[in-house]
Amino acid sequence: MTEALHLAELNVGRLVAPTDDPRVADFMNALDRINGMGKRMPGFVWMMEGSGEPGTGNTEAKIGGDPQYVSNLTVWEDVESLEKFVWQTVHRQFYERRAEWFELLGQMHFVMWWVPAGHQPTLDEALERLEHLRTHGDSDHAFGWSWLEQARLYRTRGCSEAVA
């Protein structure tokens, strides 16, 4: 019998301004709504939580002690569930505005990998996967959308490599 696997994803970014700055207010004000919608989506399994304070999302999960470097770590039952949330909900409208709120990192900022059902990855584990992807490219250990044959919406609604 094969062990059931779920899809984990990490998305990181560095805000162009502190979380209380008006330049990122639209993003910060939408976090609870977008995260709440994601949690109600069919196929959603788990999300790394922040303090629980309204309007903070996971912004307390700082990377390298940098308060503007924020992350989102979730687990989904399958590729299709994550794709539907990313590309077929209001999330897409905010995704398309990311250049207003986030610095261009100049390197991969998104990674996915398979985890055993029930596993809740840590931020350190996820950052290791991202570093592996940056260093070695797509593999079974860490990958982007193009690695997944079942990723269909990404191919038609995703972003170009230049802005990824």
Side-chain angles (χ1 to χ4, degrees):
M1 186 167 131
T2 306
E3 180 180 30
L5 295 176
H6 286 162
L7 184 66
E9 70 78 28
L10 171 71
N11 193 6
V12 300
R14 188 167 193 283
L15 293 167
V16 298
T19 56
D20 60 354
D21 189 288
R23 291 174 288 174
V24 295
D26 285 353
F27 173 77
M28 294 303 297
N29 292 337
L31 279 176
D32 291 342
R33 181 168 60 116
I34 301 298
N35 288 342
M37 181 184 58
K39 292 175 186 178
R40 292 186 302 275
M41 292 290 296
F44 171 83
V45 175
W46 174 83
M47 173 183 282
M48 178 180 68
E49 298 287 353
S51 67
E53 291 296 315
T56 62
N58 298 321
T59 57
E60 292 86 6
K62 298 169 186 21
I63 298 172
D66 183 341
Q68 287 174 228
Y69 213 125
V70 297
S71 59
N72 180 269
L73 176 57
T74 59
V75 176
W76 298 80
E77 288 179 2
D78 51 41
V79 174
E80 296 82 5
S81 298
L82 176 58
E83 272 200 307
K84 184 174 178 105
F85 170 67
V86 170
W87 309 117
Q88 292 185 324
T89 69
V90 70
H91 173 277
R92 181 181 169 101
Q93 295 171 23
F94 287 88
Y95 176 81
E96 289 174 345
R97 293 182 61 193
R98 69 197 176 284
E100 296 176 39
W101 305 311
F102 290 94
E103 295 176 1
L104 185 60
L105 293 178
Q107 60 184 342
M108 194 64 172
H109 61 87
F110 175 78
V111 64
M112 295 180 282
W113 69 101
W114 296 106
V115 297
H119 178 67
Q120 296 177 353
T122 65
L123 182 57
D124 285 344
E125 174 187 346
L127 290 169
E128 182 279 323
R129 298 283 180 153
L130 179 59
E131 187 56 36
H132 188 277
L133 176 61
R134 288 173 175 169
T135 303
H136 303 287
D138 288 321
S139 68
D140 287 338
H141 186 73
F143 46 84
W145 289 112
S146 62
W147 182 256
L148 296 168
E149 284 185 28
Q150 61 271 55
R152 305 270 185 252
L153 296 174
Y154 149 81
R155 297 185 198 314
T156 58
R157 300 191 177 168
C159 59
S160 70
E161 291 299 320
V163 296

